[in-house]
Amino acid sequence: MSLNIRIKNYWEGEAQGYSEFIDNELNGFERKAWSDLVLEYAPLKDSLDILDIGTGPGFFPIVLSQGGHNVTGIDLTENMIEFARLNLAREGASAKLMTMDCQDLKFPDNSFDLLVCRNLTWTLDDPARAYQEWHRVLRPGGRILVFDACWYLHLFDENMKIAYEKKEKETLMKYGYPVHRHKDEAEGEALSRKLFMSDKVRPQWDLDIMLKIGFSKVFADTSVGERILNEQQQDINSMHPPFLVGGEK
């Protein structure tokens, strides 16, 4: 079994739990916080053609299409797309949803004004190839916004491992659940040890590869967690705070 198929199978099983997480965000402050953050960095255009890469249960297609933008959401996993369809229907939102490998996009060159990607790049088996594809489908002057974190760097850094284990105990005592919550914890950790991004220092790796590929501008914001996480979430994620890394074609 190839690593890419193994990754796909894993996330097929995580779809329901992720949809429940997204549902909480749609009913909380995160809905507006995320929309405001994305549009702050987006190209200035009344109606953007947006590609949401790794759409999962459809959070960005919901909040961005309701802002008047044309959104296409893609995901490798059929279960994620099915939950996305259900969530969009419930919200009365309209967007295109497609099952597609983000490392092999089926769109023509220069198709989109904005690409958004949340908590996906760390799961890819060939992120450099993915960034090349994303650059290809962006229009000149278009932008890509990637939100992620160094989720499993502690598996490859002994000092971080010690600090992470301490944080894990604190989180269990304070909130009753661990830092990482997945349906298949064992497979999640086993995959994380094999994934290309797990031992990379980010967002520096992303900035370097985007410049190499040919983005005209690159930028990063390591403070976005203060805007899209509540106080409890910031505490839980203190070992792997979210970042934004972006580029302009």
Side-chain angles (χ1 to χ4, degrees), residues 7-22 52-59 61-62 73-88 97-100 118-120 122-123 182-183:
I7 293 167
K8 177 184 182 298
N9 291 342
Y10 173 76
W11 287 105
E12 293 284 11
E14 298 290 323
Q16 181 173 350
Y18 196 23
S19 185
E20 292 169 358
F21 174 78
I22 291 302
D52 179 23
I53 303 167
T55 191
F59 180 81
I62 291 170
I74 64 167
D75 204 283
L76 184 64
T77 58
E78 288 89 351
N79 286 346
M80 290 289 188
I81 291 295
E82 184 57 33
F83 275 106
R85 290 195 178 100
L86 293 172
N87 291 334
L88 263 74
L97 297 172
M98 308 170 70
T99 303
M100 189 181 299
R118 178 186 176 193
N119 293 344
L120 172 81
W122 73 275
T123 72
H182 295 288
K183 184 177 180 180

Side-chain angles (χ1 to χ4, degrees), residues 120-209:
L120 172 81
T121 46
W122 73 275
T123 72
L124 301 178
D125 63 337
D126 193 351
R129 177 186 171 194
Y131 272 118
Q132 289 177 324
E133 275 290 270
W134 302 350
H135 181 269
R136 179 182 66 79
V137 301
L138 264 184
R139 291 172 180 149
R143 284 192 163 193
I144 179 171
L145 305 177
V146 172
F147 300 94
D148 212 344
C150 296
W151 296 107
Y152 289 97
L153 192 56
H154 63 276
L155 295 177
F156 302 89
D157 184 297
E158 190 61 31
N159 290 330
M160 287 189 69
K161 179 182 178 181
I162 294 170
Y164 178 85
E165 291 174 349
K166 180 181 178 182
K167 186 65 185 180
E168 182 86 320
K169 292 177 182 178
E170 291 176 355
T171 300
L172 283 168
M173 289 183 63
K174 290 172 72 173
Y175 307 114
Y177 51 82
V179 173
H180 292 289
R181 287 183 288 173
H182 295 288
K183 184 177 180 180
D184 190 340
E185 296 284 353
E187 176 67 354
E189 180 164 334
L191 272 175
S192 298
R193 293 183 180 276
K194 293 178 177 293
L195 293 172
F196 178 87
M197 285 292 210
S198 291
D199 65 346
K200 303 300 182 290
V201 178
R202 306 177 66 198
Q204 189 60 54
W205 184 93
D206 305 73
L207 294 169
D208 291 342
I209 198 69

